[in-house]
Amino acid sequence: MSNSELLAQLQQLSRAEKFQIIQFLTAELAKEEGISVGNEVAEIMHSLHTSNGAAEQLMQFLETEQKPPQNV
């Protein structure tokens, strides 16, 4: 399946299905980067239904997870 075919099919999904796809892709990307996200992503994705700032919250979470720990 080509990207254009996939995108056309994604456009036909319901809002809830699109959120499920976003959650799945976020988890897959995190796994590829070696980031353990647990339930945090599920909670953030759930908040997308009620929060205008959820996308920003998700990006902040992912950026925080990628920062190396600082030795004090």
Side-chain angles (χ1 to χ4, degrees), residues 8-63:
Q9 287 188 345
L10 289 172
Q11 287 177 324
Q12 296 174 14
L13 297 176
S14 69
R15 185 171 192 257
E17 291 169 324
K18 288 175 182 174
F19 282 119
Q20 289 174 341
I21 296 297
I22 292 169
Q23 184 176 359
F24 169 78
L25 291 174
T26 302
E28 286 296 305
L29 288 169
K31 192 181 339 177
E32 289 175 12
E33 295 296 323
I35 301 170
S36 174
V37 292
N39 289 330
E40 293 91 350
V41 171
E43 292 171 11
I44 292 168
M45 295 307 295
H46 178 70
S47 73
L48 283 174
H49 294 282
T50 58
S51 172
N52 292 334
E56 182 179 337
Q57 183 181 2
L58 178 59
M59 287 304 299
Q60 289 175 350
F61 169 75
L62 292 174
E63 289 170 358

